[in-house]
Amino acid sequence: MFILNGALFGIWASRIPAVRDRLGLSHEDLGFGLLFMAAGAVCSFPVTGRLTDRFGAVSVTRVIAVLYTFSLILLAAADGFTVLAVFLFIFGAFHGSMDVAMNAWAAEVEQTFDKPVMSSFHAMWSLGAGLGALSGYGAVQLQLGVLAHFLIAGGITVALALALSWVRWTSRRSVPEGKSIFALPTGILVLVGVTAMCGALGEGAVADWSAIFLRDVTGVAESIAALGYAVFSVAMVAVRLLGGVAIARFGPVAVARVSGVCAALGVFLVISAGSAGGALTGFALMGVGYAVIMPLAFSRAANDPNVPPGQAIASVATLGYGGLLIGPPLIGFLAGILSLRLAFAVLLPLAVVIVVLAGALRRAD
């Protein structure tokens, strides 16, 4: 399921330049359109958190997986900016819903095995995102249209994911307390959410703008530009696979602080790069830096002593994955005012915030 979620996102990210060119969108238009995707996700997080607590993470994850795949195909059918914005809202809503549900399921597995394995699950998300981005490279080489690409890649991925994830697992269920649907973080979870947001904002910026950055700033061909997010994702996969070992040995706080430093160095390399090679190196280092921030945030939220796991994860996701989806439109707006290179510079102070707030990720007893 993590591979599916990442793959669908990576498939979309790899073809953003093609969609932009086909609809004749400016940087500002694209940024505004991506804001609808962010809005859809933010609206879905708290609702899905309550549904997950009530009906179980496994059931909710499987249902949303199918709906999420259909929403990807809708994006390829958009024939204008207005329709694209509506479809991006739907796509963002199902993307966000599946994030909450599958992370709640992963948290149950982590608690059952009593090991820091959340990072490994997120490695599978990055693997899926990288494969999705590489499918975009292949689609361009084969001269496949966006609709054909989304139908083939999305259809194969969801079929395999549903088959492979059909395991026996009984999720915990609880009746959510309180009348409010929207679960915003409180107490220490606010700092956890802000830390997650800083990492996810950078991750979202790379996902949706790395291809355009490489093409417009460094002047490479579209097929090479599609490799930007692939390099970033490969770095994230490698670090997330090793993340559990590092967290068990050095603790979540130390790992988060080193990660923030790596992210800051990566951003600096990207914004100062004079060639595609330098930018790709920077994107890879950013992948190293952002890799374990979200897994650490979700693990801390799922183990909160005062809030049910589904609601806790949803509340952190409201800030965390809100950042993943707010990052792209923010970069678009800043690129319209300044330049795309300078727009990426906003990620530098956010990486420093990760270093400062890393203590919030210490697991609650």
Side-chain angles (χ1 to χ4, degrees):
M1 285 301 172
F2 274 78
I3 289 175
L4 170 65
N5 188 281
L8 296 180
F9 191 76
I11 290 167
W12 154 246
S14 71
R15 301 309 297 272
I16 288 176
V19 173
R20 185 194 69 170
D21 293 347
R22 180 168 63 84
L23 299 181
L25 304 179
S26 64
H27 285 167
E28 296 91 327
D29 292 335
L30 180 58
F32 188 64
L34 293 173
L35 187 61
F36 282 85
M37 183 175 171
V42 170
C43 289
S44 75
F45 291 143
V47 176
T48 308
R50 294 177 72 87
L51 290 174
T52 298
D53 286 331
R54 176 165 222 141
F55 298 106
V58 175
S59 299
V60 175
T61 299
R62 287 172 176 156
V63 171
I64 294 176
V66 177
L67 298 175
Y68 182 32
T69 305
F70 280 117
S71 70
L72 170 72
I73 297 170
L74 285 178
L75 295 175
D79 59 358
F81 173 77
T82 301
V83 176
L84 178 65
V86 172
F87 289 167
L88 280 171
F89 182 91
I90 297 171
F91 182 73
F94 287 127
H95 171 77
S97 294
M98 191 175 175
D99 269 320
V100 171
M102 72 184 188
N103 274 287
W105 186 0
E108 292 176 1
V109 176
E110 184 174 62
Q111 290 164 5
T112 299
F113 286 93
D114 196 25
K115 294 180 180 179
V117 296
M118 181 69 80
S119 178
S120 298
F121 284 112
H122 282 250
M124 296 301 99
W125 191 95
S126 298
L127 174 62
L131 292 173
L134 286 173
S135 78
Y137 171 79
V140 172
Q141 296 291 77
L142 295 173
Q143 298 183 347
L144 281 179
V146 175
L147 179 59
H149 173 208
F150 286 7
L151 281 170
I152 295 171
I156 292 174
T157 307
V158 72
L160 289 173
L162 288 173
L164 294 173
S165 67
W166 210 264
V167 296
R168 282 191 167 188
W169 189 271
T170 301
S171 288
R172 295 185 300 272
R173 300 186 184 188
S174 62
V175 178
E177 298 179 358
K179 296 181 179 179
S180 175
I181 292 179
F182 286 87
L184 295 176
T186 57
I188 192 67
L189 290 181
V190 175
L191 299 182
V192 175
V194 171
T195 305
M197 180 183 67
C198 291
L201 198 149
E203 189 175 342
V206 175
D208 284 357
W209 287 100
S210 59
I212 293 176
F213 185 96
L214 286 168
R215 196 181 69 174
D216 292 0
V217 176
T218 66
V220 300
E222 182 183 351
S223 59
I224 301 300
L227 296 178
Y229 189 50
V231 168
F232 175 83
S233 298
V234 167
M236 292 194 84
V237 170
V239 174
R240 283 175 168 173
L241 287 174
L242 298 172
V245 176
I247 293 166
R249 177 160 186 174
F250 301 107
V253 176
V255 172
R257 284 180 177 149
V258 172
S259 297
V261 172
C262 289
L265 290 174
V267 174
F268 178 78
L269 283 177
V270 169
I271 62 179
S272 61
S275 65
L280 287 171
T281 302
F283 286 136
L285 194 53
M286 289 171 72
V288 172
Y290 295 136
V292 298
I293 299 303
M294 192 62 73
L296 286 173
F298 279 137
S299 289
R300 172 59 184 83
N303 287 280
D304 191 85
N306 302 313
V307 185
Q311 292 184 59
I313 290 173
S315 68
V316 168
T318 301
L319 291 178
Y321 273 108
L324 179 68
L325 298 166
I326 290 171
L330 175 64
I331 295 297
F333 293 142
L334 291 176
I337 298 172
L338 304 169
S339 68
L340 191 53
R341 188 189 294 272
L342 290 178
F344 264 81
V346 74
L347 303 178
L348 192 55
L350 295 178
V352 176
V353 172
I354 294 174
V355 179
V356 174
L357 298 183
L361 299 177
R362 183 176 287 106
R363 184 167 176 170
D365 295 326

Short mmCIF file of all heavy atoms in Angstrom, two decimals, residues 171-207:
data_model
loop_
_atom_site.label_atom_id
_atom_site.label_comp_id
_atom_site.label_asym_id
_atom_site.label_seq_id
_atom_site.Cartn_x
_atom_site.Cartn_y
_atom_site.Cartn_z
N SER A 171 -7.54 -4.78 12.66
CA SER A 171 -7.22 -3.46 13.20
C SER A 171 -8.04 -3.16 14.46
O SER A 171 -9.17 -3.63 14.60
CB SER A 171 -7.51 -2.37 12.16
OG SER A 171 -6.57 -2.40 11.12
N ARG A 172 -7.43 -2.39 15.35
CA ARG A 172 -8.17 -1.92 16.51
C ARG A 172 -9.22 -0.92 16.07
O ARG A 172 -9.01 -0.15 15.14
CB ARG A 172 -7.21 -1.26 17.51
CG ARG A 172 -6.21 -2.22 18.12
CD ARG A 172 -5.39 -1.50 19.18
NE ARG A 172 -4.66 -0.38 18.61
CZ ARG A 172 -3.45 -0.51 18.07
NH1 ARG A 172 -2.87 -1.68 18.00
NH2 ARG A 172 -2.84 0.55 17.57
N ARG A 173 -10.34 -0.91 16.76
CA ARG A 173 -11.41 0.03 16.46
C ARG A 173 -11.85 0.72 17.74
O ARG A 173 -11.83 0.13 18.81
CB ARG A 173 -12.61 -0.68 15.82
CG ARG A 173 -12.28 -1.38 14.52
CD ARG A 173 -13.53 -1.94 13.86
NE ARG A 173 -13.21 -2.70 12.65
CZ ARG A 173 -14.11 -3.16 11.81
NH1 ARG A 173 -15.40 -2.95 12.02
NH2 ARG A 173 -13.74 -3.83 10.74
N SER A 174 -12.23 1.97 17.59
CA SER A 174 -12.73 2.72 18.74
C SER A 174 -13.70 3.78 18.25
O SER A 174 -13.63 4.21 17.09
CB SER A 174 -11.58 3.39 19.50
OG SER A 174 -10.90 4.32 18.67
N VAL A 175 -14.61 4.16 19.11
CA VAL A 175 -15.56 5.22 18.76
C VAL A 175 -14.92 6.55 19.10
O VAL A 175 -14.60 6.80 20.28
CB VAL A 175 -16.88 5.06 19.53
CG1 VAL A 175 -17.83 6.20 19.19
CG2 VAL A 175 -17.51 3.72 19.22
N PRO A 176 -14.67 7.41 18.09
CA PRO A 176 -14.01 8.69 18.35
C PRO A 176 -14.81 9.54 19.33
O PRO A 176 -16.03 9.61 19.27
CB PRO A 176 -13.94 9.35 16.96
CG PRO A 176 -14.08 8.22 16.00
CD PRO A 176 -14.98 7.23 16.66
N GLU A 177 -14.09 10.17 20.27
CA GLU A 177 -14.74 11.04 21.24
C GLU A 177 -14.79 12.46 20.71
O GLU A 177 -13.98 12.87 19.90
CB GLU A 177 -13.97 11.01 22.56
CG GLU A 177 -13.94 9.63 23.22
CD GLU A 177 -13.15 9.64 24.50
OE1 GLU A 177 -12.60 10.72 24.84
OE2 GLU A 177 -13.07 8.59 25.16
N GLY A 178 -15.78 13.21 21.20
CA GLY A 178 -15.90 14.61 20.80
C GLY A 178 -16.75 14.80 19.58
O GLY A 178 -16.93 13.89 18.77
N LYS A 179 -17.29 15.99 19.43
CA LYS A 179 -18.18 16.28 18.31
C LYS A 179 -17.44 16.88 17.12
O LYS A 179 -17.94 16.87 16.02
CB LYS A 179 -19.27 17.27 18.77
CG LYS A 179 -20.19 16.69 19.85
CD LYS A 179 -21.26 17.70 20.24
CE LYS A 179 -22.19 17.12 21.31
NZ LYS A 179 -23.22 18.10 21.71
N SER A 180 -16.27 17.42 17.37
CA SER A 180 -15.53 18.07 16.29
C SER A 180 -14.94 17.04 15.33
O SER A 180 -14.32 16.07 15.75
CB SER A 180 -14.40 18.94 16.86
OG SER A 180 -13.62 19.48 15.83
N ILE A 181 -15.17 17.25 14.04
CA ILE A 181 -14.61 16.35 13.03
C ILE A 181 -13.13 16.63 12.83
O ILE A 181 -12.32 15.72 12.71
CB ILE A 181 -15.36 16.50 11.69
CG1 ILE A 181 -16.80 15.99 11.85
CG2 ILE A 181 -14.66 15.74 10.59
CD1 ILE A 181 -17.63 16.13 10.59
N PHE A 182 -12.77 17.91 12.82
CA PHE A 182 -11.39 18.27 12.52
C PHE A 182 -10.52 18.12 13.76
O PHE A 182 -10.78 18.73 14.80
CB PHE A 182 -11.31 19.70 11.99
CG PHE A 182 -11.81 19.81 10.58
CD1 PHE A 182 -13.16 20.02 10.33
CD2 PHE A 182 -10.96 19.67 9.50
CE1 PHE A 182 -13.63 20.09 9.03
CE2 PHE A 182 -11.42 19.74 8.20
CZ PHE A 182 -12.76 19.96 7.97
N ALA A 183 -9.50 17.27 13.65
CA ALA A 183 -8.60 16.98 14.77
C ALA A 183 -7.30 17.72 14.57
O ALA A 183 -6.42 17.26 13.85
CB ALA A 183 -8.34 15.48 14.85
N LEU A 184 -7.19 18.89 15.19
CA LEU A 184 -5.95 19.66 15.10
C LEU A 184 -5.03 19.23 16.24
O LEU A 184 -5.50 18.85 17.32
CB LEU A 184 -6.26 21.16 15.19
CG LEU A 184 -7.07 21.73 14.02
CD1 LEU A 184 -7.39 23.19 14.28
CD2 LEU A 184 -6.32 21.56 12.71
N PRO A 185 -3.71 19.28 16.03
CA PRO A 185 -2.78 18.84 17.07
C PRO A 185 -2.82 19.76 18.29
O PRO A 185 -3.07 20.96 18.17
CB PRO A 185 -1.43 18.88 16.37
CG PRO A 185 -1.60 19.88 15.27
CD PRO A 185 -3.02 19.73 14.81
N THR A 186 -2.57 19.18 19.45
CA THR A 186 -2.50 19.95 20.69
C THR A 186 -1.25 19.53 21.45
O THR A 186 -0.70 18.46 21.23
CB THR A 186 -3.74 19.69 21.57
OG1 THR A 186 -3.84 18.29 21.84
CG2 THR A 186 -5.01 20.17 20.89
N GLY A 187 -0.82 20.40 22.37
CA GLY A 187 0.33 20.08 23.20
C GLY A 187 1.59 19.84 22.38
O GLY A 187 1.87 20.54 21.40
N ILE A 188 2.32 18.81 22.78
CA ILE A 188 3.58 18.50 22.11
C ILE A 188 3.37 18.10 20.66
O ILE A 188 4.26 18.25 19.81
CB ILE A 188 4.32 17.38 22.87
CG1 ILE A 188 5.77 17.23 22.37
CG2 ILE A 188 3.57 16.06 22.75
CD1 ILE A 188 6.64 18.41 22.69
N LEU A 189 2.17 17.62 20.32
CA LEU A 189 1.89 17.22 18.94
C LEU A 189 1.94 18.41 17.98
O LEU A 189 2.14 18.22 16.78
CB LEU A 189 0.53 16.52 18.85
CG LEU A 189 0.43 15.13 19.48
CD1 LEU A 189 -0.97 14.55 19.29
CD2 LEU A 189 1.47 14.19 18.89
N VAL A 190 1.78 19.62 18.49
CA VAL A 190 1.91 20.80 17.64
C VAL A 190 3.35 20.90 17.12
O VAL A 190 3.58 21.13 15.92
CB VAL A 190 1.54 22.08 18.40
CG1 VAL A 190 1.81 23.31 17.55
CG2 VAL A 190 0.07 22.04 18.82
N LEU A 191 4.32 20.72 18.01
CA LEU A 191 5.73 20.78 17.61
C LEU A 191 6.08 19.61 16.70
O LEU A 191 6.86 19.76 15.75
CB LEU A 191 6.63 20.79 18.84
CG LEU A 191 6.46 21.97 19.80
CD1 LEU A 191 7.46 21.86 20.94
CD2 LEU A 191 6.62 23.29 19.07
N VAL A 192 5.51 18.44 16.99
CA VAL A 192 5.73 17.28 16.11
C VAL A 192 5.20 17.60 14.72
O VAL A 192 5.86 17.31 13.70
CB VAL A 192 5.02 16.04 16.68
CG1 VAL A 192 5.14 14.86 15.71
CG2 VAL A 192 5.62 15.65 18.03
N GLY A 193 4.00 18.20 14.67
CA GLY A 193 3.40 18.54 13.38
C GLY A 193 4.20 19.59 12.62
O GLY A 193 4.36 19.49 11.40
N VAL A 194 4.71 20.59 13.32
CA VAL A 194 5.51 21.63 12.67
C VAL A 194 6.81 21.04 12.10
O VAL A 194 7.24 21.37 10.99
CB VAL A 194 5.83 22.77 13.65
CG1 VAL A 194 6.85 23.74 13.05
CG2 VAL A 194 4.55 23.52 14.01
N THR A 195 7.45 20.15 12.87
CA THR A 195 8.66 19.49 12.39
C THR A 195 8.38 18.68 11.13
O THR A 195 9.12 18.73 10.14
CB THR A 195 9.23 18.57 13.48
OG1 THR A 195 9.43 19.31 14.68
CG2 THR A 195 10.55 17.96 13.03
N ALA A 196 7.27 17.93 11.17
CA ALA A 196 6.87 17.15 10.00
C ALA A 196 6.57 18.06 8.82
O ALA A 196 6.91 17.74 7.67
CB ALA A 196 5.65 16.29 10.34
N MET A 197 5.94 19.19 9.08
CA MET A 197 5.58 20.12 8.01
C MET A 197 6.82 20.66 7.31
O MET A 197 6.85 20.76 6.08
CB MET A 197 4.76 21.29 8.57
CG MET A 197 4.36 22.31 7.52
SD MET A 197 3.47 23.72 8.22
CE MET A 197 4.77 24.49 9.18
N CYS A 198 7.86 20.99 8.07
CA CYS A 198 9.08 21.52 7.47
C CYS A 198 9.72 20.49 6.54
O CYS A 198 10.21 20.85 5.46
CB CYS A 198 10.07 21.93 8.56
SG CYS A 198 9.55 23.37 9.52
N GLY A 199 9.73 19.22 6.96
CA GLY A 199 10.29 18.19 6.10
C GLY A 199 9.41 17.90 4.90
O GLY A 199 9.89 17.78 3.77
N ALA A 200 8.10 17.81 5.14
CA ALA A 200 7.18 17.47 4.06
C ALA A 200 7.06 18.59 3.04
O ALA A 200 6.85 18.34 1.85
CB ALA A 200 5.80 17.14 4.64
N LEU A 201 7.19 19.84 3.49
CA LEU A 201 7.11 20.96 2.56
C LEU A 201 8.24 20.88 1.54
O LEU A 201 8.04 21.09 0.34
CB LEU A 201 7.17 22.28 3.33
CG LEU A 201 6.67 23.53 2.59
CD1 LEU A 201 6.08 24.52 3.60
CD2 LEU A 201 7.80 24.20 1.81
N GLY A 202 9.43 20.55 2.02
CA GLY A 202 10.56 20.37 1.11
C GLY A 202 10.36 19.17 0.19
O GLY A 202 10.67 19.22 -1.00
N GLU A 203 9.81 18.09 0.74
CA GLU A 203 9.56 16.90 -0.05
C GLU A 203 8.56 17.18 -1.17
O GLU A 203 8.73 16.74 -2.31
CB GLU A 203 9.04 15.78 0.86
CG GLU A 203 8.94 14.42 0.20
CD GLU A 203 8.54 13.33 1.18
OE1 GLU A 203 8.65 13.55 2.40
OE2 GLU A 203 8.11 12.26 0.71
N GLY A 204 7.50 17.92 -0.83
CA GLY A 204 6.50 18.26 -1.84
C GLY A 204 7.06 19.18 -2.91
O GLY A 204 6.73 19.06 -4.10
N ALA A 205 7.93 20.11 -2.51
CA ALA A 205 8.54 21.03 -3.47
C ALA A 205 9.38 20.27 -4.49
O ALA A 205 9.33 20.55 -5.69
CB ALA A 205 9.39 22.06 -2.74
N VAL A 206 10.16 19.30 -4.01
CA VAL A 206 10.98 18.51 -4.92
C VAL A 206 10.11 17.65 -5.83
O VAL A 206 10.37 17.52 -7.03
CB VAL A 206 11.96 17.62 -4.13
CG1 VAL A 206 12.74 16.71 -5.08
CG2 VAL A 206 12.93 18.48 -3.32
N ALA A 207 9.04 17.08 -5.27
CA ALA A 207 8.17 16.20 -6.05
C ALA A 207 7.56 16.92 -7.25
O ALA A 207 7.56 16.40 -8.37
CB ALA A 207 7.07 15.64 -5.16
#
